[in-house]
Amino acid sequence: MKLKLLSGLFAIGLASLIAISAPQAQDNSGFLMTETEKNAIREIVEDYIKNNPDVIIDVLNKKAQEDAERQAKVDRRLETIPDGLYDYPMTPKLGSDNPDVTIVEFFDYNCGFCKRVINDVNRVIEEDDKVRFIFKELPILSESSETAARFALAANMQDKYLEYHTELMSFRGRLNDQILEELAQKIGLDLEQLKIDAESDVVSAALEKNMDLARELGARGTPFFVIGKEKVPGAIGYSRMKSLIQKAREEG
């Protein structure tokens, strides 16, 4: 239902943009295009959206990145640690048990920009034994984003979070139930138990908590990092991540 609504809005908006920008001779009424012509273009756009649903995800990803870039201009300092940012029970944690720097990442499994940083995140985990990563699923792009987030948290209950998280982030294309199940079986997850746990109250509560934290931190898109006491929106690479880790260490 959400995607259908987004498709309609996107199609209408794009059709309107075409109608406004298309070079047409004015008629006697002063309009650039007749209603029949506008409707014809609208039908073409709607058909295109139906046959190419990934366009919606691409547009939302671009919007999220633009929001992140605008957010980069505001204050990035974390004055106080929100309750549950580090120690919420259902939050997956990887890396050091006694870290000197903690990194929190908010992400969506359908976010192309989030997928760009998975290798850099894994590299830091492997190389730096004094860093701890905390993963916050923030499914804001589509219904399949929420299903993926639920499955990932359920995978954490089987001690296979990093494997499943990496599979989801490495997948190119739009996620759906079949793909989510195939990837779960690929890494040896108990699929039936995974489905049960994914719909549990504790998983639902964890996702709600992540949404609350994102709002409190001012996150307007994904990916969104908290590194030490600095809020960092956008798809930062390995070098930038390492420099921010070093800065956090120097600040104590």
Side-chain angles (χ1 to χ4, degrees):
M1 181 63 71
K2 292 179 181 177
L3 281 180
K4 189 178 293 183
L5 174 59
L6 287 169
S7 298
L9 290 174
F10 180 77
I12 291 171
L14 185 54
S16 298
L17 178 61
I18 294 172
I20 292 171
S21 60
Q24 295 285 333
Q26 286 189 343
D27 58 24
N28 293 334
S29 64
F31 290 100
L32 293 176
M33 188 175 289
T34 67
E35 286 302 317
T36 300
E37 291 169 328
K38 291 179 182 178
N39 290 335
I41 291 178
R42 184 177 291 108
E43 290 178 5
I44 293 172
V45 174
E46 289 177 347
D47 286 341
Y48 179 80
I49 294 298
K50 290 177 183 177
N51 294 324
N52 300 273
D54 287 345
V55 169
I56 299 297
I57 300 300
D58 291 341
V59 170
L60 292 174
N61 284 341
K62 183 177 180 181
K63 178 63 166 60
Q65 183 68 8
E66 289 173 349
D67 287 344
E69 290 171 356
R70 283 194 293 270
Q71 186 173 343
K73 299 177 182 178
V74 303
D75 182 19
R76 292 182 175 181
R77 298 298 295 174
L78 185 66
E79 300 301 331
T80 59
I81 305 298
D83 181 48
L85 183 65
Y86 294 158
D87 56 1
Y88 190 79
M90 277 295 294
T91 301
K93 303 177 180 67
L94 296 170
S96 175
D97 292 328
N98 186 30
D100 60 6
V101 175
T102 297
I103 300 175
V104 182
E105 180 189 4
F106 290 83
F107 58 89
D108 184 301
Y109 284 115
N110 277 312
C111 168
F113 296 102
C114 300
K115 292 177 184 290
R116 290 182 186 178
V117 302
I118 179 62
N119 291 333
D120 296 322
V121 168
N122 287 346
R123 182 179 173 185
V124 170
I125 292 173
E126 292 173 0
E127 294 180 352
D128 196 326
D129 60 4
K130 297 301 289 182
V131 168
R132 176 173 61 180
F133 267 88
I134 296 177
F135 297 92
K136 299 286 189 181
E137 277 78 7
L138 191 66
I140 57 177
L141 292 178
S142 70
E143 292 179 10
S144 67
S145 296
E146 180 173 344
T147 305
R150 287 180 174 277
F151 273 36
L153 289 174
N156 192 43
M157 298 167 75
Q158 295 186 37
D159 296 323
K160 285 185 175 291
Y161 180 81
L162 182 59
E163 295 95 321
Y164 194 55
H165 174 81
T166 301
E167 289 290 339
L168 295 181
M169 282 299 186
S170 300
F171 181 79
R172 294 296 178 260
R174 184 182 175 189
L175 293 168
N176 57 41
D177 289 352
Q178 180 181 346
I179 293 169
L180 292 173
E181 292 177 12
E182 289 175 354
L183 294 177
Q185 291 176 317
K186 177 181 177 180
I187 63 171
L189 285 165
D190 181 335
L191 186 57
E192 294 307 312
Q193 187 61 48
L194 189 78
K195 292 179 180 179
I196 293 171
D197 291 337
E199 297 301 322
S200 65
D201 290 342
V202 290
V203 167
S204 296
L207 291 178
E208 289 180 11
K209 181 62 175 178
N210 289 352
M211 290 290 183
D212 290 341
L213 285 168
R215 281 191 289 267
E216 187 173 351
L217 291 168
R220 299 175 184 172
T222 55
F224 182 90
F225 294 88
V226 177
I227 301 178
K229 294 183 178 180
E230 189 159 356
K231 296 182 284 185
V232 189
I236 59 175
Y238 175 80
S239 297
R240 176 65 173 152
M241 197 177 299
K242 289 291 289 183
S243 67
L244 288 167
I245 291 170
Q246 182 60 35
K247 179 181 179 182
R249 286 194 170 117
E250 291 171 356
E251 292 178 344

